[in-house]
């Protein structure tokens, strides 16, 4: 029963940790870039499309690393 409860909480806890790690990187590296606040709202709101739309104009290496950090923060991948 305890193991089942741990497994049930694993998804939300993993997403929360991913959001916190991504936000830490964002705040240090991109806090003064255009769209920072909107990207933060999208990250914590779970809006993967809005998040990627806001970071795509940032330096490519930073946006790429941030996308990697934030990947587990979202419930699903972008589906085109």
């Amino acid at each position: 029963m305890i193991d089942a409860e741990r497994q049930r909480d694993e998804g939300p806890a993993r997403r929360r940790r991913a959001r916190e790690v991504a936000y830490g990187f964002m705040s240090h590296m991109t806090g003064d870039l255009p769209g920072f606040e909107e990207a933060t709202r999208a990250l914590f709101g779970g809006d993967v499309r809005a998040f990627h739309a806001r970071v795509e104009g940032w330096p490519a290496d930073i946006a790429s690393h941030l996308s990697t950090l934030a990947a587990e923060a979202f419930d699903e991948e972008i589906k085109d």
Side-chain angles (χ1 to χ4, degrees):
M1 190 153 136
I2 292 172
D3 289 336
E5 186 66 25
R6 277 189 195 142
Q7 288 177 344
R8 189 173 62 98
D9 186 51
E10 185 176 303
R14 182 176 38 81
R15 285 188 295 277
R16 185 173 45 253
R17 281 190 306 272
R19 280 191 300 267
E20 291 169 359
V21 168
Y23 177 73
F25 179 78
M26 281 176 61
S27 65
H28 283 67
M29 298 298 292
T30 67
D32 61 345
L33 293 179
F36 171 78
E37 290 181 19
E38 293 85 356
T40 300
R41 282 194 286 276
L43 175 66
F44 284 95
D47 188 343
V48 66
R49 288 187 185 279
F51 177 78
H52 287 291
R54 298 297 182 219
V55 304
E56 73 180 359
W58 295 352
D61 56 342
I62 291 174
S64 176
H65 185 63
L66 183 55
S67 292
T68 300
L69 292 175
E72 291 190 34
F74 300 108
D75 288 329
E76 57 187 42
E77 295 295 317
I78 295 177
K79 298 175 182 144
D80 290 321

